[in-house]
Amino acid sequence: MKRTCLSILLAISSCYPVFAQQKRPNVIVIYADDLGYGDVSCYGATKIKTPHIDQLAKRGLRFTNAHATSATCTPSRFSILTGVYAWRKKGTGIAPGNAALLIDTAQITLAKIFKQTGYTTAAIGKWHLGLGGKGGPDWNGEIKPGPQELGFDKSYIIPATLDRVPTVIVDNHHVENLDPNDPITVDYHQKTGDWPTGKDHPELLTMKSSNGHDNTIINGIGRIGYMTGGKAAIWDDYTLTEKLTKQAESFITKNKENPFFMYFASPNIHVPRTPNKMFAGKSGMGSRGDVILEFDWSVGQLMKTLDSLGLTKNTIIVLSSDNGPVVDDGYQDEAEALLGGHKPAGPLRGGKYSAFDGGTRIPFIVSWPSVVKSGTSSVLISQVDLVKSFAGMLNQKLNTDQAYDSFDMISQILGKSVTNRPYLVEDAAGLGIIIDNWKYIEPNNAAAYDRTTKTELGNNKEPQLYNLSVDIHENKNLAAQYPDKVKLLSEKLRQVKNEHGYHL
Ligand code: NG6
Ligand code: CA
């Protein structure tokens, strides 16, 4: 055992000489929910200020061409944690709150990469990758397998989304604060128990739905899915971010002496948007703006904690988002009326759910003060690359059947190289591929526009080709003009799909 550790350390030192003088860096991935490319001031937002994120960007490296793998949550999270594109595996679309665990426990994960080299690991915040075996989770018993079976020593999570039941926190293998005399029942097909629903009792709602969200009412908010029981375990929407942030702070503090990896997946800025009273009304942009401030605050809290423990210099922070922005995602929260000229996707077209870059190009900031020089990078990179990149940094060799969609981009992440990823796949209703600023979107029959979220979805029965270097907004379809480019990109996409299979 000792010899293995020593050989790993020696290997690491030879790879990154910086390890020879200092301890291995802590790594924190801060993963926002639905935060758009244009939602933070260091990416050009002028109507809202995100001072903590800006500070992180100022001292670190800000990426302008980084992508989530998908335009929705579950598949992006699947990919960032496994190094495999979710579109290869059926059932990895937006998961219901009672889905079974979607990641095979035998699979390599980002957490395992760190755990195997002696890091202490934690997942805190939004999970949305299913829990439990085939039949789904047993909310009243041991909830397993889950993050802990995937390499996280500690997990403190909300099972799915803020708008999906059960609205409880799962602390390691159990629902926190569950009273055994008040068991939880969850159903996604039919009503369970006698708690009122938004559909039957709209008069009980404090936040009205604009689309769906009319199943069980919890804390005055209609949710997706039916639930009853577990009253003492139900979270308070307005203080949830504060609570999760405190957990993250205490994990850092507890592990200040040893290297740690924390996946901090904030539930902000997803709907329902319920800002803490510290932020309510503060953005002037309504609750969507207020929860951006709340997210920025939580980032600041983690930075402060690191500072107070003297850990800032040797901690890598990667901050990003799981998909692009959406304004009206199903609740009447005045997000649209109060936007006031703010552009959540910045210069990009589309947003969450979209095949255009607004769906997947997201903020991506890397800070490691003792190693990474401040600046910006326009390198093409995907979140799916984190697994192999950190494996590379820790000198762990992966087999060819592990994390096969991930590329080792650690040099780019640390600002030591500007070589683009050779190609990058984006996943919405259909797939798209980018090679050197040319983007191709496969023809597909899905709707071009979603009226409920007012999103340009980027679907088209015809092939689409855009030159992102001069047309970042994907206005001009050049497919007819450049058939050779279409051929090159579509063939590459077909090859990538066929290499390891696909269901899309
Ligand atoms: C949609 C929900 C939306 C959000 C999304 C998942 C409705 C009408 N819309 O089905 O509110 O929950 O799923 O978002 O129910 S994600 O960021 O987790 O992918
Ligand atoms: Ca999301």
Side-chain angles (χ1 to χ4, degrees):
M1 180 65 194
K2 260 192 185 144
R3 269 184 63 180
T4 328
C5 288
L6 188 67
S7 61
I8 288 172
L9 272 176
L10 285 175
I12 290 170
S13 318
S14 63
C15 216
Y16 279 90
V18 67
F19 287 138
Q21 295 98 38
Q22 62 189 78
K23 277 173 37 180
R24 281 170 294 166
N26 307 305
V27 178
I28 301 179
V29 172
I30 302 178
Y31 209 32
D33 196 359
D34 298 359
L35 185 75
Y37 194 82
D39 273 329
V40 284
S41 31
C42 56
Y43 277 82
T46 53
K47 312 266 173 195
I48 190 150
K49 288 265 164 291
T50 49
H52 300 105
I53 300 171
D54 292 4
Q55 196 197 335
L56 202 65
K58 198 168 163 204
R59 73 171 190 220
L61 195 55
R62 188 177 66 87
F63 289 74
T64 56
N65 201 5
H67 295 252
T69 60
S70 307
T72 53
C73 174
T74 302
S76 287
R77 283 158 204 260
F78 181 94
S79 301
I80 197 173
L81 290 181
T82 63
V84 171
Y85 288 130
W87 47 262
R88 298 197 186 279
K89 198 183 158 190
K90 263 206 171 105
T92 53
I94 300 171
N98 61 352
L101 182 64
L102 295 174
I103 300 173
D104 188 329
T105 53
Q107 230 168 313
I108 193 73
T109 65
L110 193 53
K112 286 183 192 174
I113 297 288
F114 288 103
K115 193 173 160 71
Q116 284 165 9
T117 40
Y119 279 66
T120 304
T121 55
I124 296 172
K126 175 171 171 174
W127 183 241
H128 209 186
L129 287 164
L131 290 166
K134 257 202 170 132
D138 171 7
W139 301 113
N140 304 298
E142 201 181 24
I143 301 168
K144 185 176 172 179
Q148 287 185 289
E149 286 63 44
L150 295 172
F152 289 104
D153 294 312
K154 160 92 197 154
S155 75
Y156 190 81
I157 54 168
I158 75 166
T161 55
L162 293 175
D163 53 353
R164 282 174 176 74
V165 300
T167 47
V168 296
I169 288 173
V170 178
D171 184 358
N172 290 334
H173 289 133
H174 293 92
V175 169
E176 183 185 51
N177 296 332
L178 180 65
D179 173 358
N181 297 318
D182 181 25
I184 296 175
T185 314
V186 170
D187 202 306
Y188 269 75
H189 299 293
Q190 59 198 25
K191 191 174 169 188
T192 173
D194 58 2
W195 289 7
T197 63
K199 185 160 188 258
D200 297 337
H201 291 281
E203 77 285 359
L204 299 177
L205 296 171
T206 51
M207 192 189 293
K208 294 209 172 356
S209 136
S210 62
N211 186 25
H213 299 110
D214 61 357
N215 299 156
T216 304
I217 300 174
I218 311 277
N219 303 339
I221 302 169
R223 313 277 167 159
I224 306 172
Y226 301 96
M227 159 179 188
T228 188
K231 256 196 177 140
I234 288 173
W235 69 53
D236 171 44
D237 291 277
Y238 294 87
T239 51
L240 183 59
T241 292
E242 199 180 356
K243 191 168 181 177
L244 296 171
T245 307
K246 283 205 175 117
Q247 273 287 328
E249 289 172 45
S250 92
F251 175 77
I252 295 172
T253 308
K254 263 192 209 131
N255 291 286
K256 60 178 195 273
E257 305 290 353
N258 52 276
F260 62 80
F261 165 64
M262 178 168 69
Y263 171 72
F264 179 69
S266 170
N268 296 137
I269 59 166
H270 198 280
V271 295
R273 300 165 183 136
T274 52
N276 191 293
K277 60 176 183 312
M278 291 187 275
F279 311 104
K282 295 280 157 66
S283 68
M285 208 185 275
S287 58
R288 187 175 186 278
D290 296 347
V291 291
I292 294 178
L293 299 184
E294 181 170 275
F295 174 64
D296 183 65
W297 168 84
S298 69
V299 173
Q301 290 300 107
L302 302 191
M303 291 167 73
K304 244 192 232 164
T305 306
L306 292 170
D307 272 350
S308 70
L309 298 169
L311 297 177
T312 299
K313 271 197 159 170
N314 202 31
T315 298
I316 301 178
I317 298 179
V318 179
L319 181 144
S320 199
S321 175
D322 65 342
N323 51 252
V326 57
V327 178
D328 180 347
D329 207 14
Y331 291 100
Q332 297 180 34
D333 59 5
E334 290 196 301
E336 204 183 334
L338 297 174
L339 262 187
H342 173 66
K343 289 205 168 93
L348 308 174
R349 188 169 182 183
K352 181 177 181 178
Y353 310 113
S354 177
F356 291 130
D357 260 25
T360 57
R361 201 194 288 214
I362 32 64
F364 190 94
I365 297 166
V366 175
S367 159
W368 186 9
S370 61
V371 173
V372 175
K373 293 203 182 76
S374 75
T376 58
S377 171
S378 59
V379 80
L380 181 67
I381 186 168
S382 169
Q383 289 170 0
V384 79
D385 298 328
L386 289 193
V387 172
K388 276 237 179 99
S389 300
F390 283 117
M393 182 181 90
L394 297 170
N395 213 34
Q396 283 201 49
K397 296 266 168 297
L398 299 184
N399 300 329
T400 48
D401 63 347
Q402 292 179 311
Y404 39 73
D405 291 315
S406 187
F407 289 168
D408 182 350
M409 302 279 287
I410 194 66
S411 301
Q412 287 85 339
I413 289 174
L414 302 182
K416 302 193 190 315
S417 161
V418 288
T419 306
N420 279 337
R421 194 181 212 282
Y423 64 86
L424 180 141
V425 179
E426 296 179 347
D427 148 36
L431 298 180
I433 185 166
I434 299 176
I435 299 179
D436 281 338
N437 269 314
W438 284 91
K439 173 166 165 184
Y440 165 77
I441 305 174
E442 275 188 320
N444 74 73
N445 290 323
Y449 185 73
D450 177 44
R451 259 183 288 151
T452 59
T453 57
K454 302 195 177 63
T455 304
E456 291 193 282
L457 296 172
N459 302 311
N460 197 318
K461 287 185 190 64
E462 303 298 324
Q464 294 174 80
L465 179 76
Y466 299 101
N467 182 355
L468 297 174
S469 55
V470 293
D471 181 21
I472 195 174
H473 195 256
E474 296 165 85
N475 279 330
K476 192 154 194 251
N477 183 1
L478 300 172
Q481 212 172 319
Y482 294 95
D484 289 355
K485 282 264 176 238
V486 169
K487 192 158 173 247
L488 181 96
L489 275 89
S490 61
E491 271 176 11
K492 182 65 190 173
L493 181 56
R494 190 168 49 222
Q495 183 207 330
V496 176
K497 285 165 81 171
N498 288 337
E499 241 169 12
H500 295 283
Y502 60 96
H503 77 88
L504 266 188

Short mmCIF file of all heavy atoms in Angstrom, two decimals, residues 122-156:
data_model
loop_
_atom_site.label_atom_id
_atom_site.label_comp_id
_atom_site.label_asym_id
_atom_site.label_seq_id
_atom_site.Cartn_x
_atom_site.Cartn_y
_atom_site.Cartn_z
N ALA A 122 -16.55 14.55 -1.88
CA ALA A 122 -17.94 14.84 -1.48
C ALA A 122 -18.76 15.35 -2.65
O ALA A 122 -18.26 16.06 -3.52
CB ALA A 122 -17.96 15.88 -0.36
N ALA A 123 -20.04 14.96 -2.64
CA ALA A 123 -21.02 15.53 -3.56
C ALA A 123 -22.03 16.28 -2.71
O ALA A 123 -22.68 15.69 -1.84
CB ALA A 123 -21.73 14.43 -4.35
N ILE A 124 -22.15 17.58 -2.95
CA ILE A 124 -23.09 18.39 -2.18
C ILE A 124 -23.95 19.18 -3.15
O ILE A 124 -23.43 19.83 -4.06
CB ILE A 124 -22.33 19.33 -1.22
CG1 ILE A 124 -21.56 18.49 -0.18
CG2 ILE A 124 -23.30 20.31 -0.51
CD1 ILE A 124 -20.62 19.26 0.70
N GLY A 125 -25.29 19.10 -2.97
CA GLY A 125 -26.19 19.88 -3.81
C GLY A 125 -27.05 19.01 -4.70
O GLY A 125 -27.47 17.92 -4.32
N LYS A 126 -27.27 19.52 -5.91
CA LYS A 126 -28.21 18.84 -6.81
C LYS A 126 -27.59 17.57 -7.42
O LYS A 126 -26.49 17.60 -7.95
CB LYS A 126 -28.60 19.81 -7.92
CG LYS A 126 -29.48 19.18 -9.00
CD LYS A 126 -30.02 20.21 -9.97
CE LYS A 126 -30.71 19.52 -11.15
NZ LYS A 126 -31.36 20.48 -12.05
N TRP A 127 -28.33 16.49 -7.40
CA TRP A 127 -27.85 15.23 -7.95
C TRP A 127 -28.49 14.99 -9.33
O TRP A 127 -27.88 15.15 -10.34
CB TRP A 127 -28.15 14.10 -6.96
CG TRP A 127 -27.63 12.76 -7.38
CD1 TRP A 127 -28.38 11.64 -7.62
CD2 TRP A 127 -26.27 12.38 -7.60
NE1 TRP A 127 -27.57 10.60 -7.99
CE2 TRP A 127 -26.27 11.03 -7.99
CE3 TRP A 127 -25.04 13.04 -7.54
CZ2 TRP A 127 -25.10 10.32 -8.31
CZ3 TRP A 127 -23.87 12.36 -7.86
CH2 TRP A 127 -23.92 11.02 -8.23
N HIS A 128 -29.75 14.64 -9.37
CA HIS A 128 -30.50 14.45 -10.61
C HIS A 128 -29.94 13.37 -11.53
O HIS A 128 -29.99 13.49 -12.77
CB HIS A 128 -30.64 15.79 -11.38
CG HIS A 128 -31.90 15.85 -12.20
ND1 HIS A 128 -32.20 16.88 -13.06
CD2 HIS A 128 -32.93 14.96 -12.29
CE1 HIS A 128 -33.35 16.64 -13.65
NE2 HIS A 128 -33.82 15.47 -13.19
N LEU A 129 -29.39 12.31 -10.91
CA LEU A 129 -28.89 11.18 -11.70
C LEU A 129 -29.48 9.88 -11.19
O LEU A 129 -28.93 8.81 -11.40
CB LEU A 129 -27.35 11.14 -11.61
CG LEU A 129 -26.66 12.25 -12.41
CD1 LEU A 129 -25.21 12.41 -11.98
CD2 LEU A 129 -26.74 11.95 -13.91
N GLY A 130 -30.63 9.97 -10.51
CA GLY A 130 -31.29 8.77 -10.00
C GLY A 130 -30.59 8.24 -8.76
O GLY A 130 -29.44 8.55 -8.47
N LEU A 131 -31.35 7.43 -8.03
CA LEU A 131 -30.83 6.82 -6.79
C LEU A 131 -31.43 5.43 -6.65
O LEU A 131 -32.57 5.20 -7.08
CB LEU A 131 -31.24 7.66 -5.57
CG LEU A 131 -30.59 9.04 -5.40
CD1 LEU A 131 -31.34 9.85 -4.35
CD2 LEU A 131 -29.12 8.89 -5.01
N GLY A 132 -30.70 4.53 -6.03
CA GLY A 132 -31.24 3.21 -5.75
C GLY A 132 -31.12 2.25 -6.92
O GLY A 132 -30.77 2.64 -8.03
N GLY A 133 -31.44 0.99 -6.62
CA GLY A 133 -31.37 -0.06 -7.64
C GLY A 133 -32.56 -0.01 -8.58
O GLY A 133 -33.28 0.98 -8.62
N LYS A 134 -32.74 -1.11 -9.29
CA LYS A 134 -33.74 -1.16 -10.37
C LYS A 134 -35.10 -0.54 -10.07
O LYS A 134 -35.64 0.20 -10.88
CB LYS A 134 -33.95 -2.62 -10.79
CG LYS A 134 -33.24 -2.91 -12.08
CD LYS A 134 -33.84 -4.12 -12.77
CE LYS A 134 -33.23 -4.20 -14.16
NZ LYS A 134 -32.77 -5.53 -14.48
N GLY A 135 -35.65 -0.82 -8.91
CA GLY A 135 -36.99 -0.30 -8.60
C GLY A 135 -36.97 1.16 -8.16
O GLY A 135 -38.01 1.72 -7.83
N GLY A 136 -35.80 1.79 -8.12
CA GLY A 136 -35.70 3.17 -7.64
C GLY A 136 -35.42 3.20 -6.15
O GLY A 136 -35.26 2.16 -5.51
N PRO A 137 -35.39 4.39 -5.58
CA PRO A 137 -34.97 4.53 -4.18
C PRO A 137 -36.04 4.13 -3.17
O PRO A 137 -37.23 4.30 -3.41
CB PRO A 137 -34.69 6.03 -4.07
CG PRO A 137 -35.47 6.67 -5.17
CD PRO A 137 -35.63 5.67 -6.26
N ASP A 138 -35.59 3.60 -2.03
CA ASP A 138 -36.47 3.36 -0.91
C ASP A 138 -36.31 4.55 0.03
O ASP A 138 -35.41 4.59 0.86
CB ASP A 138 -36.06 2.05 -0.20
CG ASP A 138 -36.80 1.84 1.11
OD1 ASP A 138 -37.73 2.64 1.40
OD2 ASP A 138 -36.44 0.90 1.85
N TRP A 139 -37.19 5.53 -0.12
CA TRP A 139 -37.02 6.79 0.62
C TRP A 139 -37.05 6.59 2.14
O TRP A 139 -36.51 7.40 2.88
CB TRP A 139 -38.12 7.80 0.24
CG TRP A 139 -38.11 8.11 -1.23
CD1 TRP A 139 -39.06 7.78 -2.15
CD2 TRP A 139 -37.09 8.81 -1.96
NE1 TRP A 139 -38.69 8.23 -3.41
CE2 TRP A 139 -37.49 8.87 -3.31
CE3 TRP A 139 -35.87 9.39 -1.60
CZ2 TRP A 139 -36.72 9.47 -4.31
CZ3 TRP A 139 -35.10 10.00 -2.58
CH2 TRP A 139 -35.52 10.04 -3.91
N ASN A 140 -37.67 5.51 2.58
CA ASN A 140 -37.81 5.30 4.02
C ASN A 140 -36.76 4.36 4.59
O ASN A 140 -36.78 4.04 5.78
CB ASN A 140 -39.22 4.79 4.32
CG ASN A 140 -40.26 5.76 3.78
OD1 ASN A 140 -40.30 6.90 4.22
ND2 ASN A 140 -41.03 5.32 2.79
N GLY A 141 -35.89 3.88 3.75
CA GLY A 141 -34.86 2.95 4.21
C GLY A 141 -33.49 3.44 3.80
O GLY A 141 -33.21 4.64 3.80
N GLU A 142 -32.66 2.47 3.39
CA GLU A 142 -31.31 2.81 2.95
C GLU A 142 -31.36 3.14 1.46
O GLU A 142 -31.80 2.29 0.67
CB GLU A 142 -30.39 1.63 3.22
CG GLU A 142 -28.96 2.03 3.28
CD GLU A 142 -28.04 0.83 3.53
OE1 GLU A 142 -28.43 -0.31 3.21
OE2 GLU A 142 -26.93 1.06 4.01
N ILE A 143 -30.96 4.33 1.09
CA ILE A 143 -31.04 4.77 -0.31
C ILE A 143 -29.71 4.48 -0.97
O ILE A 143 -28.71 5.18 -0.77
CB ILE A 143 -31.41 6.26 -0.39
CG1 ILE A 143 -32.76 6.48 0.31
CG2 ILE A 143 -31.47 6.74 -1.83
CD1 ILE A 143 -33.11 7.92 0.54
N LYS A 144 -29.69 3.46 -1.79
CA LYS A 144 -28.43 2.92 -2.25
C LYS A 144 -28.67 2.04 -3.47
O LYS A 144 -29.68 1.34 -3.46
CB LYS A 144 -27.93 2.10 -1.07
CG LYS A 144 -26.62 1.48 -1.12
CD LYS A 144 -26.33 0.82 0.21
CE LYS A 144 -25.04 0.04 0.02
NZ LYS A 144 -24.61 -0.64 1.19
N PRO A 145 -27.86 2.01 -4.51
CA PRO A 145 -26.64 2.79 -4.66
C PRO A 145 -26.92 4.23 -5.04
O PRO A 145 -28.01 4.58 -5.52
CB PRO A 145 -25.91 2.07 -5.80
CG PRO A 145 -27.02 1.46 -6.62
CD PRO A 145 -28.10 1.10 -5.64
N GLY A 146 -25.92 5.08 -4.78
CA GLY A 146 -26.00 6.51 -5.07
C GLY A 146 -24.59 7.06 -5.15
O GLY A 146 -23.65 6.31 -5.44
N PRO A 147 -24.43 8.33 -4.85
CA PRO A 147 -23.10 8.95 -4.96
C PRO A 147 -22.01 8.19 -4.21
O PRO A 147 -20.87 8.09 -4.68
CB PRO A 147 -23.30 10.34 -4.34
CG PRO A 147 -24.77 10.59 -4.39
CD PRO A 147 -25.47 9.28 -4.44
N GLN A 148 -22.34 7.66 -3.04
CA GLN A 148 -21.30 6.98 -2.26
C GLN A 148 -20.79 5.71 -2.93
O GLN A 148 -19.67 5.28 -2.71
CB GLN A 148 -21.81 6.68 -0.86
CG GLN A 148 -21.90 7.95 -0.03
CD GLN A 148 -22.29 7.66 1.39
OE1 GLN A 148 -23.43 7.30 1.66
NE2 GLN A 148 -21.35 7.81 2.29
N GLU A 149 -21.64 5.11 -3.76
CA GLU A 149 -21.22 3.91 -4.48
C GLU A 149 -20.46 4.29 -5.76
O GLU A 149 -19.97 3.44 -6.50
CB GLU A 149 -22.43 3.04 -4.82
CG GLU A 149 -23.00 2.29 -3.61
CD GLU A 149 -23.54 3.20 -2.52
OE1 GLU A 149 -24.24 4.17 -2.86
OE2 GLU A 149 -23.22 2.96 -1.33
N LEU A 150 -20.40 5.60 -6.03
CA LEU A 150 -19.71 6.09 -7.23
C LEU A 150 -18.43 6.83 -6.88
O LEU A 150 -17.87 7.54 -7.72
CB LEU A 150 -20.63 7.01 -8.04
CG LEU A 150 -21.89 6.35 -8.63
CD1 LEU A 150 -22.82 7.39 -9.24
CD2 LEU A 150 -21.50 5.31 -9.68
N GLY A 151 -17.98 6.70 -5.64
CA GLY A 151 -16.69 7.28 -5.27
C GLY A 151 -16.74 8.50 -4.38
O GLY A 151 -15.70 9.07 -4.05
N PHE A 152 -17.95 8.93 -3.98
CA PHE A 152 -18.03 10.08 -3.07
C PHE A 152 -18.07 9.57 -1.63
O PHE A 152 -18.98 8.82 -1.26
CB PHE A 152 -19.29 10.90 -3.35
CG PHE A 152 -19.23 11.66 -4.66
CD1 PHE A 152 -19.93 11.22 -5.78
CD2 PHE A 152 -18.48 12.82 -4.77
CE1 PHE A 152 -19.89 11.91 -6.98
CE2 PHE A 152 -18.42 13.53 -5.97
CZ PHE A 152 -19.13 13.08 -7.08
N ASP A 153 -17.10 9.98 -0.81
CA ASP A 153 -17.09 9.55 0.60
C ASP A 153 -18.31 10.09 1.32
O ASP A 153 -18.86 9.44 2.20
CB ASP A 153 -15.83 10.08 1.30
CG ASP A 153 -14.58 9.44 0.74
OD1 ASP A 153 -14.56 8.21 0.60
OD2 ASP A 153 -13.63 10.19 0.42
N LYS A 154 -18.67 11.31 0.93
CA LYS A 154 -19.78 11.97 1.62
C LYS A 154 -20.75 12.48 0.56
O LYS A 154 -20.32 12.97 -0.49
CB LYS A 154 -19.19 13.15 2.43
CG LYS A 154 -20.16 14.24 2.83
CD LYS A 154 -20.72 13.97 4.20
CE LYS A 154 -21.98 14.77 4.47
NZ LYS A 154 -22.87 14.16 5.43
N SER A 155 -22.04 12.34 0.83
CA SER A 155 -22.97 13.00 -0.08
C SER A 155 -24.09 13.65 0.71
O SER A 155 -24.54 13.14 1.74
CB SER A 155 -23.51 12.04 -1.14
OG SER A 155 -24.46 11.16 -0.61
N TYR A 156 -24.48 14.81 0.25
CA TYR A 156 -25.53 15.59 0.91
C TYR A 156 -26.25 16.28 -0.24
O TYR A 156 -25.84 17.33 -0.73
CB TYR A 156 -24.87 16.61 1.85
CG TYR A 156 -25.84 17.31 2.77
CD1 TYR A 156 -26.30 16.69 3.93
CD2 TYR A 156 -26.29 18.60 2.48
CE1 TYR A 156 -27.19 17.35 4.79
CE2 TYR A 156 -27.17 19.25 3.33
CZ TYR A 156 -27.62 18.62 4.48
OH TYR A 156 -28.49 19.26 5.32
#
